[in-house]
Amino acid sequence: MPFEIVHSDLNDLQVNAVVRLMDSSEFGLGAEQDGHIKVESELFDSRDQNGCSLFDNVVIVPICNQEAKYVIYIKRSILLDDHDDDQTLASCYRKVLELADAYHCESIALPLLDLKRDGWTKELALQVASQEIRTFLFDHEMQVYLVVSKKEDFMLSQNLYESVLRYIDENYNSKIFDDVVDSESVDGALFQLRKIEPLRNDQIRKNEIFIEKGGTFGLPTELDAPAEYLELGELLQDLDAGFSETLLKLIDRTGKKDSEIYKKANVDRKLFSKIRNHLDYQPSKRTALAFAFALELDLEETEDFIGRAGYRLSHSNKFDVIIEYFLVNKNYNVFELNEVLFAFDQPLIGA
């Protein structure tokens, strides 16, 4: 996925560029400490000759004999200046990402930066990082990893965390495994799957019941439902349509560009192209859910939509319960959802 939060070490990620803090008061004095990637001091002797570029308090340096092509350094001192406002941190992320883009990097790993100031919180640190990365990715194609070295450095809004926790306590039941045909383990989380035909038969039966009662499948009756909802209901009633075909029809219904939807879903262009060009493409559950959020489907519509790829939501799965919480509350922010999933040690959605 274009934006992913990971609990890892920068050295473990295969990316074009890694971002580090420089302790030196002036760039070019010595290599990074603590066993990180070493940069020979002669690289700093002539930035013009060696391809180094300085951007205010940020410098990009080409490296050899490493998986990464570049190291991007940030002066640690600028995060300690008390006189700067909170835009300092946002500016650091912008400069780093712009430098990486200027050097044609397709992927980058950067740490979750923090400011050592009174009144500054880890919650604010996450908000600034997430906002700047999302803003950048709206106009650029790049894989961005936000690396959290210590889980305690990652902090959600207390209200959001507690609200999700209450919902999990009220709805999560690890002993329920109803209608499970198969299971899929992803990053330690168990996903329940059902075969497509049984699921479609269930939906057909539900649809017949609604029709007999004069209702519209999964939606209010014709007298009560706005025209746009009836159009969506008609699309979802096309039970012969697979996931890819349904996705493309729903995107057309929004009137938005494909790029707006797949970026909102935190999916990269290459994967979306595969889905668009292969109507029999089988997405992962996380990808299917990401598009459901990008399309702002409600809970019932999401169940139908991901069912076309053979998946369902279950209260026996903590991941699914968190997904349900966001759908019930009509919060379609995939990036905020991923922050919550990360906090609860669940896999993120997207590609």
Side-chain angles (χ1 to χ4, degrees):
M1 61 189 73
F3 176 25
E4 186 172 357
I5 305 170
V6 294
H7 184 202
S8 179
D9 186 280
L10 285 168
N11 289 326
D12 297 333
L13 297 172
Q14 296 182 354
V15 291
N16 295 151
V18 292
V19 178
R20 303 199 181 281
L21 295 177
M22 173 67 78
D23 287 319
S24 306
S25 59
E26 182 177 331
F27 286 131
L29 299 179
E32 185 76 4
Q33 301 299 313
D34 302 325
H36 292 154
I37 293 175
K38 304 297 183 182
V39 180
E40 298 298 332
S41 59
E42 57 264 24
L43 282 176
F44 290 99
D45 291 342
S46 173
R47 294 191 177 97
D48 292 334
Q49 292 181 12
N50 292 288
C52 305
S53 292
L54 183 64
F55 188 178
D56 199 1
N57 290 302
V58 178
V59 64
I60 185 168
V61 183
I63 57 176
C64 302
N65 303 320
Q66 300 287 346
E67 292 184 358
K69 297 178 181 178
Y70 303 98
V71 176
I72 301 177
Y73 287 101
I74 302 173
K75 282 187 180 180
R76 191 186 300 271
S77 59
I78 69 171
L79 303 180
L80 304 175
D81 293 339
D82 293 330
H83 63 274
D84 287 340
D85 59 23
D86 295 344
Q87 289 302 311
T88 298
L89 195 58
S91 177
C92 282
Y93 284 115
R94 283 197 298 272
K95 291 171 185 175
V96 163
L97 293 170
E98 288 169 8
L99 266 181
D101 180 61
Y103 278 72
H104 309 292
C105 294
E106 296 181 355
S107 57
I108 186 172
L110 61 161
L112 179 61
L113 301 175
D114 202 358
L115 295 178
K116 308 300 181 183
R117 300 176 190 163
D118 293 337
W120 183 261
T121 65
K122 296 183 185 302
E123 176 187 337
L124 286 172
L126 176 62
Q127 290 176 4
V128 171
S130 180
Q131 180 60 47
E132 289 303 320
I133 294 170
R134 288 157 50 187
T135 299
F136 172 81
L137 289 176
F138 186 80
D139 295 315
H140 300 82
E141 296 282 348
M142 188 182 296
Q143 174 69 53
V144 180
Y145 294 99
L146 182 63
V147 180
V148 180
S149 57
K150 298 178 181 178
K151 202 64 181 292
E152 57 267 26
D153 291 337
F154 182 92
M155 186 172 294
L156 292 174
S157 157
Q158 185 173 357
N159 288 339
L160 176 60
Y161 182 85
E162 292 178 352
S163 180
V164 174
L165 187 59
R166 282 195 301 271
Y167 193 86
I168 292 174
D169 289 341
E170 294 170 359
N171 294 278
Y172 176 58
N173 189 335
S174 61
K175 296 182 180 180
I176 297 177
F177 286 94
D178 55 323
D179 297 328
V180 175
V181 173
D182 200 357
S183 62
E184 175 187 11
S185 179
V186 179
D187 296 337
L190 183 66
F191 291 151
Q192 280 74 50
L193 291 75
R194 295 173 69 189
K195 291 181 180 177
I196 294 176
E197 283 307 313
L199 180 64
R200 289 181 178 172
N201 291 335
D202 285 348
Q203 299 294 1
I204 291 172
R205 287 194 293 272
K206 289 180 182 179
N207 195 26
E208 290 173 348
I209 293 172
F210 273 100
I211 292 173
E212 289 175 3
K213 294 182 179 180
T216 304
F217 172 64
L219 296 164
T221 63
E222 186 172 354
L223 292 176
D224 299 327
E228 61 267 23
Y229 287 115
L230 292 176
E231 292 173 6
L232 177 57
E234 290 170 1
L235 285 174
L236 294 178
Q237 284 187 66
D238 185 1
L239 297 178
D240 291 330
F243 174 84
S244 296
E245 183 180 351
T246 303
L247 171 62
L248 296 178
K249 287 181 178 179
L250 291 175
I251 292 177
D252 289 341
R253 174 186 171 273
T254 67
K256 297 180 179 179
K257 296 179 180 179
D258 290 349
S259 59
E260 292 182 70
I261 297 299
Y262 72 68
K263 287 188 175 184
K264 187 177 179 181
N266 200 30
V267 170
D268 64 34
R269 176 175 50 81
K270 292 180 180 179
L271 177 59
F272 180 78
S273 180
K274 289 181 181 179
I275 296 173
R276 182 181 56 197
N277 296 324
H278 300 85
L279 293 183
D280 59 347
Y281 185 84
Q282 177 68 22
S284 68
K285 182 174 182 178
R286 293 181 290 174
T287 298
L289 283 168
F291 279 112
F293 273 77
L295 293 165
E296 299 189 1
L297 304 182
D298 64 23
L299 178 58
E300 187 171 357
E301 293 161 357
T302 297
E303 287 272 21
D304 180 281
F305 181 62
I306 67 173
R308 295 166 191 269
Y311 304 110
R312 65 188 296 269
L313 298 176
S314 169
H315 280 188
S316 65
N317 189 319
K318 188 178 294 185
F319 170 90
D320 288 354
V321 173
I322 295 173
I323 295 292
E324 183 180 286
Y325 168 87
F326 272 74
L327 291 172
V328 167
N329 287 281
K330 299 187 182 302
N331 184 344
Y332 299 109
N333 189 328
V334 169
F335 301 98
E336 185 172 337
L337 167 59
N338 276 341
E339 291 169 9
V340 172
L341 290 170
F342 181 83
F344 283 91
D345 297 316
Q346 299 299 309
L348 313 187
I349 73 168

